[in-house]
């Protein structure tokens, strides 16, 4: 999960500050280059082996990259280790990131937990408001959700963070879709998508595909999700790949291809299991069983080829950041 947008790096003759490193790593993650994000963080962490408090700031950023890579258990363990060493905005941002990780792990019912306290850090404040908005949206409190998102949008604009503003607008599109205003949702997604890359682009497309499915446009959703799966796989965005596969199975089932849907759902299930996301394992299993029933396929065992995926290895959670 990301709570920052790219900013100018420090001059080449100066040693990069932790904030410079954090900004660069997050920029790589947002573009979908997880290998570069890990390399930046791991290289900066080596000289800090004897300075756990300074290292904790960078390890907290690493939590977000781990989530994108689908390494949820490792992300949660790292967050638990570094939380006591952080304060101020770093601690507040990590709390929001934790809400994202736990939602990835537990599924829709667990996303998100109660929003953390208010923060002086604009990114953390916006993240807290997004968490509150999602909690309200899932509880059917659409007006409260929109108030929180509009407040987050104001914070983003005052902070001059276009990346943060785009994240909020993605959430507003998601909320519009949940309220049944599909034209507004699709218009908002179309507005922001050209400015997105990597993880954020994948998240926006998954939200757009969900809106297309709700509108009955399953073929269009299927094409979009297939593209998202391919691009997420190429970028190492394992969490988004699993999320896109899960929704792709729904699109295939809706468009009358239950056998393909059963296989796709099983692929999603295996990835969710490998990523320690039990709530999503249950959801993917449900899609798989419905597809098998619709296709009147075999009653035992996984679809053909599923064993090849057993060693490999989101859906609403990424909207937190």
């Amino acid at each position: 999960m990301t709570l920052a947008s790219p900013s100018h790096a420090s001059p080449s003759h100066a040693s990069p500050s932790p904030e410079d490193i954090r900004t660069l790593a997050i920029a790589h993650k947002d573009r979908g280059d997880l290998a570069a994000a890990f390399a930046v963080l791991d290289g900066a962490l080596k000289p800090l082996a004897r300075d756990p408090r300074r290292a904790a700031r960078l390890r907290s950023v690493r939590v977000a990259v781990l989530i994108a890579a689908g390494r949820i258990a490792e992300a949660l363990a790292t967050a638990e280790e570094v939380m006591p060493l952080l304060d101020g905005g770093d601690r507040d941002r990590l709390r929001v990131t934790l809400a994202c990780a736990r939602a990835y792990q537990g599924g829709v019912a667990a996303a998100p937990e109660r929003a953390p306290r208010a923060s002086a850090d604009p990114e953390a404040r916006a993240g807290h408001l997004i968490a509150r908005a999602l909690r309200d949206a899932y509880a059917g409190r659409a007006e409260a959700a929109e108030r929180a998102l509009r407040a987050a949008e104001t914070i983003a604009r005052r902070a001059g963070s276009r990346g943060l503003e785009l994240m909020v607008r993605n959430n507003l599109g998601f909320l519009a879709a949940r309220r049944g205003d599909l034209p507004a949702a699709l218009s908002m997604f179309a507005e922001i998508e050209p400015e997105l890359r990597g993880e954020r682009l994948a998240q926006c497309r998954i939200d757009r595909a969900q809106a297309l499915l709700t509108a009955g446009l399953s073929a269009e959703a299927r094409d979009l999700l297939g593209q998202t799966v391919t691009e997420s796989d190429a970028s190492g965005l394992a969490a988004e790949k699993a999320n896109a596969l899960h929704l792709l199975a729904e699109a295939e089932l809706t468009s009358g291809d239950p056998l393909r849907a059963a296989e796709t759902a099983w692929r999603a299930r295996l990835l969710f299991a490998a990523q320690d996301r039990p709530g999503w394992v249950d959801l993917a299993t449900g899609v798989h069983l419905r597809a098998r029933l619709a296709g009147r396929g075999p009653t035992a065992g996984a679809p053909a080829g599923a064993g090849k995926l057993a060693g490999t290895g989101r859906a609403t959670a990424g909207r937190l950041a």
Side-chain angles (χ1 to χ4, degrees), residues 274-314:
Q275 295 171 16
D276 190 29
R277 300 172 62 180
W280 293 104
V281 169
D282 292 343
L283 292 173
T285 300
V287 180
H288 172 67
L289 293 175
R290 286 192 286 114
R292 290 274 290 276
L293 182 62
R296 298 179 181 178
T299 58
K308 298 178 182 179
L309 298 166
T312 66
R314 155 186 136 179

Side-chain angles (χ1 to χ4, degrees), residues 184-227:
L186 293 171
S187 175
M188 200 167 298
F189 295 142
E191 171 197 331
I192 67 174
E193 189 171 311
E195 297 185 61
L196 301 175
R197 299 291 184 273
E199 184 186 33
R200 291 185 179 179
L201 177 59
Q203 292 167 357
C204 180
R205 285 177 170 172
I206 290 170
D207 284 344
R208 180 156 69 92
Q210 180 67 74
L212 290 170
L213 275 175
T214 304
L217 301 173
S218 57
E220 290 85 347
R222 190 171 173 174
D223 290 344
L224 182 61
L225 289 164
Q227 179 183 359

Side-chain angles (χ1 to χ4, degrees), residues 1 22 48 55-56 66 77 79 99 175 200 280 286:
M1 182 183 73
R22 172 183 176 272
L48 301 179
L66 288 168
L175 179 62
R200 291 185 179 179
W280 293 104

Side-chain angles (χ1 to χ4, degrees), residues 11-321:
S12 58
H13 63 271
S15 298
S17 69
E19 188 62 27
D20 291 329
I21 296 167
R22 172 183 176 272
T23 298
L24 180 59
I26 289 175
H28 283 312
K29 181 185 77 71
D30 286 352
R31 287 196 296 267
D33 192 345
L34 299 191
F38 279 123
V40 166
L41 291 168
D42 293 346
L45 281 166
K46 288 181 180 178
L48 301 179
R50 297 184 179 181
D51 190 346
R53 290 194 175 274
R54 288 184 65 195
R57 293 191 64 192
L58 299 183
R59 292 182 70 200
S60 69
V61 180
R62 202 171 189 274
V63 171
V65 187
L66 288 168
I67 295 171
R71 294 156 62 179
I72 310 302
E74 186 179 349
L76 290 169
T78 301
E80 184 177 351
E81 290 176 12
V82 304
M83 185 71 81
L85 302 174
L86 299 175
D87 55 22
D90 294 314
R91 187 179 180 90
D92 291 328
R93 285 191 293 266
L94 183 56
R95 284 173 170 164
V96 177
T97 305
L98 270 174
C100 176
R102 288 168 179 157
Y104 270 65
Q105 193 173 49
V108 175
E113 296 185 347
R114 187 174 67 87
R117 66 178 175 81
S119 170
D121 184 280
E123 294 172 4
R125 285 166 58 205
H128 297 170
L129 286 165
I130 292 171
R132 182 192 303 171
L134 290 177
R135 186 189 70 241
D136 287 336
Y138 292 126
R141 299 187 292 268
E143 292 183 0
E146 182 168 3
R147 285 195 299 270
L149 289 174
R150 294 298 181 187
E153 186 177 35
T154 298
I155 290 171
R157 288 175 175 170
R158 289 177 177 173
S161 175
R162 179 59 177 166
L164 191 59
E165 185 180 353
L166 289 170
M167 177 172 50
V168 176
R169 292 194 66 75
N170 194 156
N171 280 278
L172 284 166
F174 166 73
L175 179 62
R178 283 189 66 87
R179 298 176 80 165
D181 191 349
L182 298 177
L186 293 171
S187 175
M188 200 167 298
F189 295 142
E191 171 197 331
I192 67 174
E193 189 171 311
E195 297 185 61
L196 301 175
R197 299 291 184 273
E199 184 186 33
R200 291 185 179 179
L201 177 59
Q203 292 167 357
C204 180
R205 285 177 170 172
I206 290 170
D207 284 344
R208 180 156 69 92
Q210 180 67 74
L212 290 170
L213 275 175
T214 304
L217 301 173
S218 57
E220 290 85 347
R222 190 171 173 174
D223 290 344
L224 182 61
L225 289 164
Q227 179 183 359
T228 305
V229 169
T230 300
E231 293 179 358
S232 296
D233 187 42
S235 300
L237 296 168
E240 298 313 326
K241 177 184 176 181
N243 296 334
L245 278 170
H246 174 236
L247 194 57
L248 176 58
E250 291 277 13
E252 290 168 341
L253 183 56
T254 303
S255 61
D257 194 350
L259 297 180
R260 177 64 64 86
E263 182 177 351
T264 301
W266 193 262
R267 293 173 62 196
R269 182 190 184 280
L270 291 173
L271 286 177
F272 287 141
Q275 295 171 16
D276 190 29
R277 300 172 62 180
W280 293 104
V281 169
D282 292 343
L283 292 173
T285 300
V287 180
H288 172 67
L289 293 175
R290 286 192 286 114
R292 290 274 290 276
L293 182 62
R296 298 179 181 178
T299 58
K308 298 178 182 179
L309 298 166
T312 66
R314 155 186 136 179
T316 59
R319 297 184 195 93
L320 286 174

